[in-house]
């Protein structure tokens, strides 16, 4: 049976079937580094000749490339180049990195910079002090918003329509014994984030990891991205948490001002 996009993935407006299929082929490689024509055809629910034509076109533009040894296909360098082009144009991301680097050094913490995409956290940068003990996040990875510091920081400053579409209609999976699984509890926590500008992840997505996060807001007051300081395996006990919050807020307030948002 042919694969179809979920309601959340489907955008309003006209869709070109061949382009949609090409996009779905690219997304097949999220789960495995290499795939052959037969594997892609089975995954997509299409005949091999159709898939071959799509794959050959994608390869001719550099979005896929054939592995000489296996004759299978993998993601092409063009996607890497375009991805870096996108990131390079997010100026606030680079400014966030510069702003937060001293905090990573001061508190010996891992800094995460993340944005959101269709109800998920998307990590766009990570700064480590030496060997990181935090394994759940790498640049390009996605994570649930309801159980991450950066996710909750952004959810508190996104429109209710966004939460209705992507958050309130899903089941909250229990990632650790500390994960929030009740929606009324999350609502209460988001109210607190709006009041303080700070979100906490208390071992909710990874055991032993505590995150202190704050959003960067556009001029409209909506979240553009979020920044967090993450402490692994008890390290948060070695710092003044209130001082961390003040330093992080000073950074994110400055970044928000760069986007035209000023606290009332």
């Amino acid at each position: 049976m042919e694969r179809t996009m979920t309601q959340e993935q489907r955008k309003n407006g006209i869709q070109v079937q061949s382009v949609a299929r090409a996009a779905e082929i690219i997304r097949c490689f999220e789960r495995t580094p290499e795939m052959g024509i037969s594997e892609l055809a089975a995954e997509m629910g299409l005949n091999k000749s159709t898939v071959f034509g799509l794959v050959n076109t994608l390869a001719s533009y550099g979005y896929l490339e054939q592995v000489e040894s296996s004759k299978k296909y993998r993601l092409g360098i063009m996607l890497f180049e375009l991805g870096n082009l996108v990131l390079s144009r997010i100026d606030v991301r680079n400014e966030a990195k510069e702003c937060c680097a001293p905090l990573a050094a001061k508190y010996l913490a891992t800094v995460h910079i993340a944005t959101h995409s269709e109800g998920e956290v998307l990590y766009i940068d990570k700064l480590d002090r030496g060997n990181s003990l935090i394994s759940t996040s790498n640049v390009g990875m996605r994570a649930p918003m309801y159980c991450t510091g950066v996710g909750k920081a952004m959810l508190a400053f996104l429109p209710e329509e966004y939460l209705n579409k992507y958050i309130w209609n899903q089941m909250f999976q229990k990632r650790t014994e500390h994960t929030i699984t009740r929606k009324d509890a999350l609502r209460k926590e988001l109210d607190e984030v709006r009041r303080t500008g700070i979100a906490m992840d208390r071992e909710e997505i990874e055991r032993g990891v505590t995150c202190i996060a704050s959003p960067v807001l556009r001029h409209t007051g909506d979240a553009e991205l979020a920044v967090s300081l993450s402490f692994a395996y008890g390290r948060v006990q070695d710092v003044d948490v209130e001082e961390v919050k003040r330093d992080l807020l000073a950074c994110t307030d400055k970044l928000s001002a760069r986007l035209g948002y000023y606290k009332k």
Side-chain angles (χ1 to χ4, degrees):
M1 183 176 179
E2 182 179 334
R3 287 174 48 145
T4 57
M5 292 182 292
T6 66
Q7 183 67 29
E8 291 177 0
Q9 291 172 319
R10 189 178 296 112
K11 303 296 184 182
N12 292 330
I14 296 172
Q15 294 216 348
V16 179
Q17 186 182 63
S18 59
V19 177
R21 285 174 171 174
E24 283 294 300
I25 284 176
I26 290 173
R27 297 202 66 172
C28 285
F29 291 90
E30 292 177 340
R31 297 177 291 279
T32 183
E34 295 181 11
M35 295 185 77
I37 297 296
S38 296
E39 295 168 298
L40 286 166
E43 180 76 8
M44 295 286 294
L46 298 173
N47 63 60
K48 289 193 285 188
S49 62
T50 298
V51 170
F52 178 78
L54 291 166
V55 167
N56 191 54
T57 302
L58 288 167
S60 70
Y61 282 89
Y63 298 116
L64 295 178
E65 60 186 26
Q66 191 171 39
V67 181
E68 186 63 31
S69 58
S70 66
K71 301 303 180 183
K72 292 185 177 184
Y73 291 85
R74 64 188 177 194
L75 297 178
I77 195 68
M78 179 60 71
L79 291 172
F80 177 80
E81 294 175 355
L82 290 175
N84 277 296
L85 182 60
V86 171
L87 291 178
S88 71
R89 291 177 176 174
I90 305 176
D91 294 335
V92 70
R93 169 223 180 203
N94 295 323
E95 293 188 26
K97 189 173 182 178
E98 293 176 8
C99 184
C100 292
L103 300 185
K106 178 178 179 178
Y107 294 110
L108 300 180
T110 296
V111 170
H112 292 112
I113 303 170
T115 187
H116 59 88
S117 174
E118 296 186 338
E120 293 182 306
V121 166
L122 175 63
Y123 293 101
I124 59 175
D125 219 328
K126 180 178 181 180
L127 304 175
D128 288 319
R129 290 292 298 174
N131 294 326
S132 175
L133 297 174
I134 298 172
S135 60
T136 55
S137 60
N138 285 304
V139 174
M141 285 185 61
R142 292 173 177 260
M145 296 186 79
Y146 63 87
C147 61
T148 54
V150 285
K152 289 186 284 185
M154 290 184 284
L155 283 177
F157 295 92
L158 287 170
E160 188 65 23
E161 292 82 2
Y162 187 96
L163 277 71
N164 288 336
K165 183 175 183 179
Y166 294 117
I167 305 301
W168 302 134
N169 63 358
Q170 68 170 299
M171 296 292 293
F172 292 173
Q173 180 184 353
K174 196 172 184 65
R175 307 295 287 262
T176 75
E177 61 269 29
H178 303 290
T179 305
I180 293 176
T181 56
R182 289 179 22 244
K183 290 168 186 175
D184 61 334
L186 180 60
R187 285 186 184 275
K188 183 176 180 180
E189 188 158 338
L190 295 183
D191 286 341
E192 182 66 10
V193 176
R194 293 184 193 100
R195 187 181 71 82
T196 64
I198 292 291
M200 298 290 295
D201 164 10
R202 302 172 180 86
E203 301 184 53
E204 295 169 46
I205 191 170
E206 182 178 1
R207 290 183 181 87
V209 176
T210 299
C211 299
I212 303 170
S214 184
V216 176
L217 306 179
R218 306 185 187 101
H219 71 280
T220 58
D222 293 346
E224 171 78 9
L225 49 80
V227 178
S228 72
L229 293 177
S230 298
F231 301 85
Y233 304 100
R235 288 181 181 174
V236 72
Q237 299 170 8
D238 299 329
V239 301
D240 182 333
V241 172
E242 294 306 313
E243 183 182 6
V244 174
K245 291 178 181 179
R246 288 192 296 271
D247 284 349
L248 183 57
L249 277 172
C251 178
T252 54
D253 286 350
K254 177 181 177 182
L255 293 167
S256 295
R258 290 280 291 151
L259 295 179
Y261 178 83
Y262 296 91
K263 288 184 176 179
K264 297 179 181 178

